[in-house]
């Protein structure tokens, strides 16, 4: 059965997002989002964001609600992408665009450098390292950029060496971490 989750801060505070019932769809927990956006508060205003493997879009919509200039949502599942578009339209969340395409394929397209990336792929697919390498190598990340990574608690994924851990936490079986991109090592 479809569900609903709540935006927790900003101009859309307490708005509800419709969540389709899809296998593997795992919205980021409210308390994790609250912690993350407390960490991001100093850098969010006017930020250009990329929500890869967006799912419900809760992270990107939360960013728009709290002052991000724009969010490019990327979601490969057509039903989830449609629900995300519907939520953005219903909430009149300007600045959000949805691409219904696989994340790796999207990153091979026209590069638009961003200040903040939400990297939270389906856990079963193990896509963190490949997507992180694409982000780093292709010019998608501004300097400096912030990268949020959500992964299983059992172990942190291999990420580019110039992504410096800023803060991290755990909630249940989930590890969540915020990285800052430094000048790449040559």
């Amino acid at each position: 059965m479809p569900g609903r989750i709540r935006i927790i801060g900003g101009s859309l505070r307490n708005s509800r997002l419709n969540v389709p019932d899809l296998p593997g769809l795992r919205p980021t927990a409210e308390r994790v989002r609250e912690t993350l956006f407390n960490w991001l508060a100093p850098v969010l205003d006017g930020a250009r964001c990329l929500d890869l493997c967006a799912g419900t879009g809760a992270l990107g919509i939360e960013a728009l609600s709290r002052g991000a200039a724009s969010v490019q949502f990327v979601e490969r599942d057509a039903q989830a992408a449609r629900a995300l578009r519907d939520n953005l339209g219903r909430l009149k969340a300007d600045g959000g665009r949805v691409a219904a395409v696989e994340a790796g394929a999207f990153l091979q397209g026209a590069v638009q450098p961003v200040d903040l990336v939400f990297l939270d792929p389906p856990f079963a697919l193990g896509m963190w390292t490949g997507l992180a390498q694409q982000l780093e190598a292709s010019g998608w990340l501004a300097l400096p950029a912030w990268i949020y990574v959500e992964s299983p608690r059992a172990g942190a994924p291999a990420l580019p060496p110039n992504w410096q851990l800023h803060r991290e936490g755990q909630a249940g079986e989930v590890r969540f971490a915020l990285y800052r991109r430094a000048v790449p090592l040559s």
Side-chain angles (χ1 to χ4, degrees):
M1 162 172 248
R4 293 168 69 86
I5 56 175
R6 177 176 77 97
I7 298 301
I8 54 177
S11 63
L12 300 173
R13 182 185 173 117
N14 291 325
S15 297
R16 302 287 177 171
L17 302 180
N18 296 320
V19 178
D21 184 17
L22 296 171
L25 188 63
R26 179 193 38 77
T28 299
E30 192 170 299
R31 72 181 189 147
V32 172
R33 282 186 284 127
E34 185 170 0
T35 299
L36 170 63
F37 283 95
N38 286 339
W39 295 346
L40 289 172
V43 299
L44 202 51
D45 194 41
R48 299 161 299 164
C49 306
L50 176 60
D51 192 347
L52 276 178
C53 308
T56 64
L59 293 171
I61 294 172
E62 193 79 50
L64 286 171
S65 179
R66 293 171 183 248
S70 64
V71 178
Q72 173 64 63
F73 297 89
V74 179
E75 175 50 52
R76 69 184 175 105
D77 184 276
Q79 186 178 349
R82 190 169 37 259
L84 180 48
R85 281 190 194 100
D86 291 347
N87 281 324
L88 287 167
R90 183 175 49 78
L91 297 174
K92 297 177 178 55
D94 296 332
R97 297 179 316 278
V98 179
V101 64
E102 195 273 330
F106 179 84
L107 293 176
Q108 293 173 5
V111 173
Q112 304 153 20
V114 295
D115 306 301
L116 172 61
V117 175
F118 300 106
L119 182 56
D120 180 16
F123 283 10
L125 299 181
M127 301 167 61
W128 296 272
T129 300
L131 291 174
Q133 289 170 346
Q134 275 188 276
L135 284 164
E136 183 59 41
S138 62
W140 278 95
L141 299 174
L143 193 60
W146 295 89
I147 307 100
Y148 170 74
V149 178
E150 192 169 312
S151 60
R153 183 178 184 164
L159 300 172
N162 61 308
W163 290 16
Q164 299 171 342
L165 181 62
H166 178 67
R167 298 186 98 163
E168 67 181 322
Q170 296 179 358
E173 294 304 311
V174 172
R175 175 186 181 266
F176 56 99
L178 183 61
Y179 295 84
R180 185 168 188 175
R181 179 180 185 247
V183 177
L185 304 171
S186 301

